Each structure stands twice: as structure tokens, then as C-alpha cells.
Amino acid sequence: VQLVESGGGLVQAGGSLRLSCAASGLTFLAYAMGWFRQAPGKERELVAAISSGGSTYYVDSVKGRFTIYRDNAKNTVYLQMNSLKPEDTAVYYCAASLTVIVSRFNPNYWGQGTQVTIYS
């Protein structure tokens, strides 16, 4: 199984980024997909998740700013991030899970991570 993230970078506060995660080696439709992030000195946290049926979960700090969606034909999940803040700075990880309830996302597979840095 491979999860390959892309789209990270350096952006000014208030700007936008779209992260992509291309999955291979698994039956994509069988998995919920999620994005985690880990800032220096902090624990990794679930940012957003989407079930195979399209149900979504967002951590409170990103609600209204981030959108997770998936393209099952391309085996890809996206995280559209708008109105970015310096506190969004972190390494963002894609993950796949057989979890049924997206708010209880428990990863089976991880990507390698992509750095997102927001400056003010």
C-alpha cells in the first residue's frame, strides 16, 4: 500500500493550499481516508476524515476553512485549506482506515507527510 501526498508548501496567512493523496495497493472504496497533522512539540491530531460514502469529520479548529473530498475514480483524497493561519503550520499526513465511524478514525496505513508552513 502506498499513500503519496503532495501540495504542501509555504503560504502567507489568509491564503489557500490543496493537499492531494494518491492511494495505490488497496481497494480505495473500502477505506475511509483522513488527514492528520503534527506540529513541532505537539501530538499528531486528526484534522479531517471522509468515509467511502462521503460522511465527513472535521476537528473544530478547521471547520468552515478546510474541506475534505475524495475522487474514487482517481483513488485520491484531497484537503482544500482556505483562510490559513500560522497555527495550521505542521506536517500533514494522509491515512487510510477501515474505520466505519469517521470521528473514530484509526489508521491502517500512513503516507510520508508533506510540510505546510504558514507565515504572517
Side-chain angles (χ1 to χ4, degrees), residues 59-80:
V59 69
D60 285 347
S61 59
V62 308
K63 285 181 180 177
R65 299 189 298 122
F66 290 12
T67 302
I68 187 171
Y69 59 102
R70 60 192 293 162
D71 184 336
N72 294 326
K74 295 183 177 180
N75 285 8
T76 300
V77 62
Y78 303 93
L79 186 66
Q80 178 67 46

Side-chain angles (χ1 to χ4, degrees), residues 2 5 16 22 31 60 65 81 83 97 105-107 116:
Q2 279 196 313
E5 300 104 331
S16 298
Y31 286 82
D60 285 347
R65 299 189 298 122
M81 306 186 294
S83 302
S97 172
F105 193 96
N106 186 24
V116 171

Side-chain angles (χ1 to χ4, degrees), residues 1-8 18-26 28 33-35 69 74-79 91-96 109-115:
V1 174
Q2 279 196 313
L3 303 176
V4 180
E5 300 104 331
S6 60
R18 189 181 77 161
L19 305 182
S20 300
C21 172
S24 60
L26 53 69
F28 189 69
M33 300 298 295
W35 289 95
Y69 59 102
K74 295 183 177 180
N75 285 8
T76 300
V77 62
Y78 303 93
L79 186 66
V91 178
Y92 283 71
Y93 298 89
C94 175
Y109 302 104
W110 291 96
Q112 82 286 355
T114 186
Q115 178 70 46

